[in-house]
Amino acid sequence: MGKYEKEASTSPSLEEASATYPRSTEAHYHAVDVFGPEDDHQIQYKTLSWPLVAVLMIAEIVSNGMLSLPSSLAVVGLVPGIVVIVFLGAFGLFTAWVLIQFKLRHPEVHNMGDAGYILFGFPGREILSFGTIVFAVFATGGQLLAGQIALANLSSNKLCLMLYTGIFAIPTLLCSLPRTLDRLSWLSVPSVISIIVAGIVGMVGAGLNPTPGRNTTIAASTDFVTAFISVTNPVFAYAGHFMFFILISEMRHPQHAMRAAYVLQIFATSFYVIFAVITYLYLGADVSSPSFSSLPPKWAKAAYGIAIPNFLIAGSLYSHTAAKLLFVRFFRKSRHLHSHTVLGWGTWVALVFIMNAAAFVLAVGVPIFNYLIGIAASLFASWYTYGIAGALWLYDVYHDKGGVAAWRHRWAMTGVNVMTLAAGAFICVAGMYVTVKQIVNAYRSGEVSAPFSC
């Protein structure tokens, strides 16, 4: 099934489980997956239902990223913007299917690092694990900045911005402390409700207060750098696939994971299009990013205030993911993973604190942090959400179905997955290029502030 199995010991062993249960059954999956049988354990991870997984996916993906979509339409125009959002939503659904199928065939995979080990051995595991942690920490920092903006709007900027970030970091840390995603899933329910209501309030506020003399275009012409910067907004608004393996690992019935993916992508794509189009049509080409900042003060305060639970829980999910990857790596197959031990809980709390502290320091201490989020997303999210799915499909078909001949026999899917790999590479390289160019321009124009400034 893959290289990782040769390294990790399981209880029962893969050979014993395969002899007892057919490989395709759910019983076999639970016998050999990362957490193993849990009936007698104090801490049980595999408790999530697929509706709660869908809620978790929506909570972490449909968040502050959608507030940049109206400005994307302002750059490329209404029709191209809609086409990009819908296409990326459909593309994300396809790559989600590939990731889920790979996880079901390789129950021992817990995170992108484990998948990297199967593909490329030790270097693959270290690189993809490192990328997951880095992107999760940067995404947490991005949510802290979103919370900072929300709190600053609510208080009319009465405090130093760094203080707002610190205030928001405390509940984010506390909400990321539960050891299992089941606990966080219930916190994610109000998170999803809050971003939906906030989006509706934002659209109503835009409709009741349209920008006088606003300009909107069906399609706009612009240079590559500007256009691609706008396209990266919807690209990274879907950037949540790096969590999928971890989420599925804590499901009661992982075979139902695709149901959650359908709910996520259909809801996200529909909501993104409706929100982006309505906001852009009423606020015009000068709409801000985040778009709530273009609303009149009372509407901006209402929208930001309602969205705060979503920013908070999304940040908690990201930092939880980074800590969970390392925690399972340290204690895989040990009693500290499933029992209330001092070492287990001490390590978990320390990891959660480190991830949140790193996100806070980066958010307030690095003047170009917003651009660094773009670099991290280009380097890692482009692969986790899009490109790596192609490599996983090609690997499994090659090893399980008969090598190169199997690729030729499935020529259509082979072509799609090769293009998926190429798309990930293009987004990675082009995203890096335009982000670095933005950083250079920001320094030249004097827009970059001092570290730890208000």
Side-chain angles (χ1 to χ4, degrees), residues 312-376:
L312 193 156
I313 298 303
S316 299
L317 284 169
Y318 291 135
S319 58
H320 178 101
T321 297
K324 182 66 71 66
L325 185 153
L326 287 175
F327 187 76
V328 172
R329 176 84 173 265
F330 294 157
F331 296 120
R332 198 169 190 142
K333 307 304 177 186
S334 81
R335 66 187 183 92
H336 303 292
L337 188 65
H338 287 99
S339 301
H340 295 295
T341 64
V342 173
L343 179 60
W345 272 108
T347 303
W348 173 251
V349 172
L351 288 171
V352 169
F353 178 81
I354 290 170
M355 299 307 164
N356 282 278
F360 170 76
V361 171
L362 288 168
V364 301
V366 180
I368 58 170
F369 181 68
N370 271 327
Y371 299 113
L372 293 184
I373 294 175
I375 289 178

Coordinates of all heavy atoms in Angstrom, one line a residue, residues 312-376:
L312 N -12.4 33.8 14.5 CA -11.8 33.1 15.7 C -11.7 31.6 15.5 O -10.6 31.0 15.8 CB -12.6 33.5 16.9 CG -12.1 33.2 18.3 CD1 -12.8 34.2 19.3 CD2 -12.3 31.8 18.7
I313 N -12.7 31.0 15.1 CA -12.7 29.5 15.0 C -11.9 29.1 13.9 O -11.2 28.0 14.0 CB -14.2 29.0 14.9 CG1 -15.0 29.3 16.1 CG2 -14.2 27.5 14.6 CD1 -14.4 28.8 17.4
A314 N -11.9 29.8 12.8 CA -11.0 29.4 11.6 C -9.5 29.5 12.1 O -8.8 28.5 11.8 CB -11.2 30.4 10.4
G315 N -9.2 30.5 12.8 CA -7.8 30.6 13.3 C -7.5 29.4 14.3 O -6.4 28.8 14.2
S316 N -8.5 29.0 15.1 CA -8.3 27.9 16.0 C -8.1 26.6 15.3 O -7.3 25.8 15.6 CB -9.5 27.8 16.9 OG -9.6 29.0 17.7
L317 N -8.8 26.4 14.2 CA -8.7 25.2 13.4 C -7.3 25.1 12.8 O -6.7 24.0 12.7 CB -9.8 25.2 12.3 CG -11.2 24.8 12.8 CD1 -12.2 25.1 11.7 CD2 -11.3 23.3 13.2
Y318 N -6.8 26.2 12.3 CA -5.5 26.2 11.6 C -4.4 25.8 12.6 O -3.6 25.0 12.4 CB -5.2 27.5 11.0 CG -6.1 27.8 9.8 CD1 -6.7 29.1 9.6 CD2 -6.3 26.9 8.8 CE1 -7.4 29.4 8.5 CE2 -7.1 27.2 7.7 CZ -7.7 28.4 7.5 OH -8.4 28.7 6.4
S319 N -4.4 26.5 13.8 CA -3.4 26.2 14.8 C -3.5 24.8 15.4 O -2.5 24.2 15.7 CB -3.4 27.3 15.9 OG -4.7 27.3 16.5
H320 N -4.8 24.4 15.5 CA -5.0 23.0 16.0 C -4.4 22.0 15.0 O -3.8 21.0 15.4 CB -6.5 22.8 16.1 CG -6.9 21.4 16.5 ND1 -7.3 21.1 17.8 CD2 -7.0 20.2 15.8 CE1 -7.6 19.8 17.9 NE2 -7.4 19.2 16.7
T321 N -4.6 22.3 13.7 CA -4.0 21.4 12.7 C -2.5 21.3 12.7 O -2.0 20.2 12.7 CB -4.4 21.9 11.3 OG1 -5.9 21.9 11.2 CG2 -3.8 21.0 10.2
A322 N -1.8 22.4 12.9 CA -0.4 22.4 13.0 C 0.1 21.6 14.2 O 1.0 20.8 14.2 CB 0.1 23.8 13.1
A323 N -0.6 21.9 15.4 CA -0.3 21.1 16.6 C -0.6 19.7 16.5 O 0.2 18.8 16.9 CB -1.0 21.8 17.8
K324 N -1.7 19.3 15.9 CA -2.1 17.9 15.7 C -1.1 17.1 14.9 O -0.8 15.9 15.2 CB -3.5 17.8 15.1 CG -4.1 16.4 15.0 CD -4.4 15.8 16.3 CE -5.5 16.3 17.1 NZ -6.8 16.2 16.6
L325 N -0.6 17.7 13.8 CA 0.3 17.0 13.0 C 1.5 16.6 13.8 O 2.0 15.4 13.7 CB 0.8 17.9 11.8 CG 1.7 17.3 10.8 CD1 1.4 18.0 9.4 CD2 3.1 17.3 11.1
L326 N 2.1 17.5 14.6 CA 3.3 17.2 15.4 C 3.0 16.2 16.5 O 3.7 15.3 16.8 CB 3.9 18.4 15.9 CG 4.7 19.3 14.9 CD1 5.1 20.6 15.5 CD2 5.8 18.5 14.3
F327 N 1.8 16.4 17.2 CA 1.4 15.6 18.3 C 1.3 14.1 17.9 O 1.8 13.2 18.5 CB 0.1 16.1 18.9 CG -0.3 15.4 20.1 CD1 0.3 15.7 21.3 CD2 -1.3 14.4 20.1 CE1 -0.1 15.0 22.5 CE2 -1.7 13.8 21.3 CZ -1.1 14.1 22.5
V328 N 0.6 13.9 16.7 CA 0.5 12.5 16.2 C 1.8 12.0 15.8 O 2.1 10.8 16.0 CB -0.6 12.5 15.1 CG1 -0.6 11.1 14.4 CG2 -2.0 12.8 15.6
R329 N 2.6 12.8 15.2 CA 4.0 12.4 14.8 C 4.8 11.9 16.0 O 5.5 10.9 16.0 CB 4.7 13.5 14.1 CG 6.1 13.3 13.7 CD 6.2 12.6 12.4 NE 7.6 12.5 11.9 CZ 8.2 13.4 11.1 NH1 7.5 14.4 10.6 NH2 9.4 13.2 10.8
F330 N 4.7 12.7 17.1 CA 5.5 12.3 18.4 C 4.9 11.1 19.0 O 5.7 10.2 19.5 CB 5.4 13.5 19.4 CG 6.1 14.7 18.9 CD1 5.8 16.0 19.5 CD2 7.1 14.7 17.9 CE1 6.4 17.1 19.1 CE2 7.7 15.9 17.5 CZ 7.4 17.1 18.1
F331 N 3.6 10.9 19.1 CA 3.0 9.9 20.0 C 2.3 8.8 19.2 O 1.5 8.1 19.8 CB 2.1 10.5 21.0 CG 2.9 11.4 22.0 CD1 2.5 12.8 22.1 CD2 3.9 10.9 22.7 CE1 3.2 13.6 22.9 CE2 4.6 11.8 23.6 CZ 4.2 13.1 23.7
R332 N 2.5 8.7 17.9 CA 1.8 7.7 17.1 C 2.0 6.3 17.7 O 3.1 5.9 18.0 CB 2.3 7.7 15.7 CG 1.4 7.1 14.7 CD 2.0 7.4 13.3 NE 1.0 7.0 12.2 CZ 0.8 7.7 11.1 NH1 1.4 8.9 11.0 NH2 0.0 7.3 10.2
K333 N 0.9 5.6 18.0 CA 1.0 4.2 18.5 C 1.4 4.1 20.0 O 1.8 3.1 20.4 CB 1.9 3.3 17.6 CG 1.5 3.3 16.2 CD 0.1 2.9 15.9 CE -0.3 3.0 14.4 NZ -1.8 2.8 14.2
S334 N 1.5 5.3 20.7 CA 1.8 5.3 22.1 C 0.6 5.5 22.9 O -0.4 6.1 22.4 CB 2.9 6.3 22.4 OG 2.3 7.6 22.5
R335 N 0.7 5.2 24.2 CA -0.5 5.4 25.1 C -0.8 6.9 25.3 O -1.9 7.3 25.7 CB -0.2 4.8 26.5 CG 0.9 5.4 27.3 CD 1.2 4.5 28.5 NE 2.3 5.2 29.3 CZ 2.0 6.0 30.3 NH1 0.8 6.2 30.6 NH2 3.0 6.5 31.0
H336 N 0.2 7.8 25.1 CA 0.0 9.2 25.3 C -1.0 9.8 24.3 O -1.6 10.9 24.5 CB 1.3 10.0 25.2 CG 2.3 9.5 26.2 ND1 2.2 9.6 27.6 CD2 3.5 8.8 26.0 CE1 3.2 9.1 28.2 NE2 4.0 8.6 27.2
L337 N -1.2 9.1 23.2 CA -2.1 9.6 22.2 C -3.6 9.5 22.6 O -4.4 10.3 22.4 CB -1.9 8.8 20.8 CG -2.7 9.3 19.6 CD1 -2.2 10.7 19.2 CD2 -2.5 8.4 18.4
H338 N -3.8 8.4 23.3 CA -5.2 8.1 23.7 C -5.5 8.1 25.2 O -6.7 7.9 25.6 CB -5.6 6.6 23.2 CG -5.7 6.5 21.7 ND1 -4.8 6.1 20.9 CD2 -6.8 6.8 20.9 CE1 -5.2 6.1 19.6 NE2 -6.4 6.5 19.6
S339 N -4.6 8.5 26.0 CA -4.8 8.5 27.4 C -4.5 9.9 28.0 O -3.8 10.7 27.4 CB -3.9 7.4 28.1 OG -4.1 6.1 27.6
H340 N -5.1 10.1 29.2 CA -4.9 11.4 29.9 C -3.6 11.3 30.7 O -3.6 11.1 31.9 CB -6.1 11.7 30.8 CG -7.4 11.9 30.1 ND1 -7.6 13.0 29.2 CD2 -8.5 11.2 30.0 CE1 -8.8 12.9 28.7 NE2 -9.4 11.8 29.2
T341 N -2.5 11.5 30.0 CA -1.2 11.4 30.7 C -0.6 12.8 30.8 O -1.0 13.7 30.0 CB -0.2 10.6 29.9 OG1 0.1 11.2 28.7 CG2 -0.7 9.1 29.7
V342 N 0.2 13.0 31.8 CA 0.8 14.4 32.0 C 1.7 14.7 30.8 O 1.6 15.9 30.3 CB 1.7 14.3 33.3 CG1 2.5 15.7 33.4 CG2 0.8 14.1 34.5
L343 N 2.5 13.8 30.3 CA 3.3 14.0 29.1 C 2.4 14.4 27.9 O 2.8 15.3 27.1 CB 4.2 12.8 28.8 CG 5.1 13.0 27.6 CD1 6.1 14.2 27.8 CD2 5.9 11.7 27.4
G344 N 1.4 13.6 27.7 CA 0.5 13.8 26.6 C -0.1 15.2 26.6 O 0.0 16.0 25.6
W345 N -0.8 15.5 27.7 CA -1.4 16.8 27.8 C -0.4 18.0 27.8 O -0.7 19.1 27.2 CB -2.3 16.9 29.0 CG -3.7 16.3 28.7 CD1 -4.2 15.2 29.1 CD2 -4.7 17.0 27.9 NE1 -5.5 15.0 28.6 CE2 -5.8 16.1 27.9 CE3 -4.8 18.2 27.2 CZ2 -7.0 16.5 27.2 CZ3 -5.9 18.5 26.5 CH2 -7.0 17.7 26.5
G346 N 0.7 17.8 28.5 CA 1.7 18.8 28.5 C 2.2 19.1 27.2 O 2.4 20.3 26.8
T347 N 2.5 18.1 26.4 CA 3.0 18.3 25.0 C 2.0 19.0 24.2 O 2.3 19.9 23.4 CB 3.4 17.0 24.4 OG1 4.4 16.3 25.2 CG2 4.0 17.1 23.0
W348 N 0.7 18.5 24.3 CA -0.4 19.1 23.5 C -0.5 20.6 23.8 O -0.6 21.4 22.8 CB -1.7 18.4 23.7 CG -2.8 19.0 23.0 CD1 -3.9 19.7 23.6 CD2 -3.1 19.1 21.6 NE1 -4.7 20.2 22.7 CE2 -4.3 19.8 21.4 CE3 -2.4 18.6 20.5 CZ2 -4.8 20.1 20.2 CZ3 -2.9 18.8 19.2 CH2 -4.1 19.6 19.1
V349 N -0.6 21.0 25.0 CA -0.8 22.4 25.4 C 0.4 23.2 24.9 O 0.3 24.3 24.4 CB -1.0 22.5 26.9 CG1 -1.0 24.0 27.3 CG2 -2.3 21.9 27.3
A350 N 1.6 22.7 25.0 CA 2.8 23.4 24.6 C 2.8 23.6 23.1 O 3.1 24.7 22.6 CB 4.1 22.6 25.0
L351 N 2.4 22.6 22.3 CA 2.3 22.7 20.9 C 1.3 23.7 20.4 O 1.6 24.6 19.5 CB 2.0 21.3 20.2 CG 3.1 20.3 20.2 CD1 2.6 18.9 19.8 CD2 4.3 20.7 19.4
V352 N 0.1 23.7 21.1 CA -0.9 24.7 20.7 C -0.4 26.1 21.0 O -0.6 27.0 20.2 CB -2.2 24.3 21.5 CG1 -3.2 25.5 21.3 CG2 -2.8 23.0 20.9
F353 N 0.2 26.2 22.2 CA 0.7 27.6 22.5 C 1.8 28.1 21.6 O 1.8 29.2 21.1 CB 1.3 27.5 23.9 CG 1.9 28.8 24.4 CD1 1.1 29.9 24.9 CD2 3.2 29.1 24.3 CE1 1.6 31.1 25.3 CE2 3.8 30.3 24.7 CZ 3.0 31.3 25.2
I354 N 2.7 27.2 21.2 CA 3.8 27.6 20.3 C 3.2 28.0 18.9 O 3.6 29.0 18.3 CB 4.7 26.4 20.1 CG1 5.6 26.2 21.4 CG2 5.7 26.6 18.9 CD1 6.4 24.9 21.4
M355 N 2.2 27.2 18.4 CA 1.6 27.6 17.1 C 0.9 28.9 17.1 O 1.1 29.8 16.2 CB 0.7 26.5 16.6 CG 1.3 25.1 16.4 SD 2.8 25.2 15.4 CE 3.6 23.6 15.8
N356 N 0.1 29.2 18.2 CA -0.6 30.4 18.3 C 0.4 31.6 18.6 O 0.2 32.7 18.0 CB -1.6 30.3 19.4 CG -2.9 29.6 18.9 OD1 -3.7 30.2 18.3 ND2 -3.0 28.3 19.3
A357 N 1.4 31.3 19.4 CA 2.4 32.4 19.6 C 3.2 32.8 18.4 O 3.4 34.0 18.1 CB 3.3 31.9 20.7
A358 N 3.5 31.8 17.6 CA 4.3 32.0 16.4 C 3.4 32.9 15.4 O 3.9 33.8 14.8 CB 4.7 30.7 15.7
A359 N 2.1 32.5 15.3 CA 1.2 33.3 14.5 C 1.1 34.7 14.9 O 1.1 35.6 14.1 CB -0.2 32.6 14.4
F360 N 1.0 34.9 16.2 CA 0.9 36.3 16.8 C 2.1 37.1 16.5 O 2.0 38.2 16.0 CB 0.6 36.2 18.3 CG 0.7 37.6 18.9 CD1 -0.4 38.5 18.8 CD2 1.8 37.9 19.7 CE1 -0.3 39.7 19.4 CE2 1.9 39.1 20.3 CZ 0.8 40.1 20.2
V361 N 3.3 36.5 16.8 CA 4.5 37.2 16.5 C 4.7 37.6 15.1 O 5.1 38.7 14.7 CB 5.7 36.4 17.0 CG1 7.0 37.1 16.6 CG2 5.7 36.3 18.6
L362 N 4.4 36.7 14.2 CA 4.5 37.0 12.8 C 3.5 38.1 12.3 O 3.9 39.0 11.6 CB 4.2 35.7 11.9 CG 5.3 34.6 12.0 CD1 4.8 33.3 11.4 CD2 6.6 35.1 11.2
A363 N 2.3 38.0 12.8 CA 1.3 38.9 12.4 C 1.6 40.4 12.9 O 1.3 41.3 12.1 CB -0.1 38.5 13.0
V364 N 2.1 40.5 14.0 CA 2.4 41.9 14.5 C 3.8 42.3 14.3 O 4.1 43.5 14.4 CB 2.0 42.0 16.0 CG1 0.6 41.7 16.3 CG2 2.9 41.2 16.9
G365 N 4.7 41.4 14.1 CA 6.2 41.7 14.1 C 6.8 41.8 12.7 O 7.9 42.3 12.5
V366 N 6.1 41.3 11.7 CA 6.6 41.3 10.3 C 5.8 42.3 9.5 O 4.6 42.0 9.2 CB 6.6 39.9 9.7 CG1 7.1 39.9 8.3 CG2 7.3 38.9 10.6
P367 N 6.3 43.4 9.1 CA 5.6 44.4 8.4 C 5.0 43.9 7.1 O 3.9 44.4 6.6 CB 6.6 45.5 8.1 CG 7.7 45.3 9.1 CD 7.7 43.8 9.4
I368 N 5.6 42.9 6.5 CA 5.1 42.4 5.2 C 4.4 41.1 5.3 O 4.3 40.3 4.4 CB 6.2 42.3 4.1 CG1 7.3 41.3 4.7 CG2 6.8 43.6 3.8 CD1 8.4 41.0 3.6
F369 N 3.8 40.9 6.5 CA 3.2 39.6 6.8 C 2.1 39.2 5.8 O 2.0 38.1 5.4 CB 2.6 39.5 8.2 CG 2.0 38.2 8.6 CD1 2.8 37.1 8.7 CD2 0.6 38.1 8.8 CE1 2.2 35.9 9.1 CE2 0.1 36.9 9.1 CZ 0.9 35.8 9.2
N370 N 1.3 40.2 5.4 CA 0.2 39.9 4.4 C 0.8 39.3 3.1 O 0.2 38.4 2.5 CB -0.6 41.1 4.1 CG -1.8 41.3 5.1 OD1 -2.3 40.3 5.5 ND2 -2.1 42.6 5.4
Y371 N 1.9 39.9 2.7 CA 2.6 39.3 1.5 C 3.2 38.0 1.8 O 3.2 37.1 0.9 CB 3.7 40.3 1.1 CG 3.2 41.7 0.7 CD1 3.5 42.8 1.5 CD2 2.3 41.9 -0.4 CE1 3.0 44.1 1.2 CE2 1.9 43.1 -0.7 CZ 2.2 44.2 0.1 OH 1.7 45.5 -0.3
L372 N 3.7 37.7 3.0 CA 4.3 36.4 3.3 C 3.2 35.3 3.3 O 3.5 34.2 3.0 CB 5.0 36.5 4.7 CG 6.2 37.3 4.8 CD1 6.8 37.2 6.2 CD2 7.2 37.0 3.7
I373 N 2.0 35.7 3.7 CA 0.9 34.8 3.6 C 0.7 34.3 2.1 O 0.5 33.2 1.8 CB -0.5 35.4 4.1 CG1 -0.3 35.6 5.6 CG2 -1.6 34.4 3.8 CD1 -1.6 36.3 6.2
G374 N 0.8 35.3 1.2 CA 0.7 35.0 -0.2 C 1.8 34.1 -0.7 O 1.6 33.2 -1.5
I375 N 3.0 34.3 -0.1 CA 4.2 33.4 -0.5 C 3.9 32.0 0.0 O 4.1 31.0 -0.7 CB 5.5 34.0 0.0 CG1 5.9 35.3 -0.7 CG2 6.6 33.0 -0.1 CD1 7.1 35.9 -0.3
A376 N 3.5 31.9 1.3 CA 3.2 30.6 1.9 C 2.1 29.9 1.1 O 2.2 28.7 0.8 CB 2.8 30.7 3.3

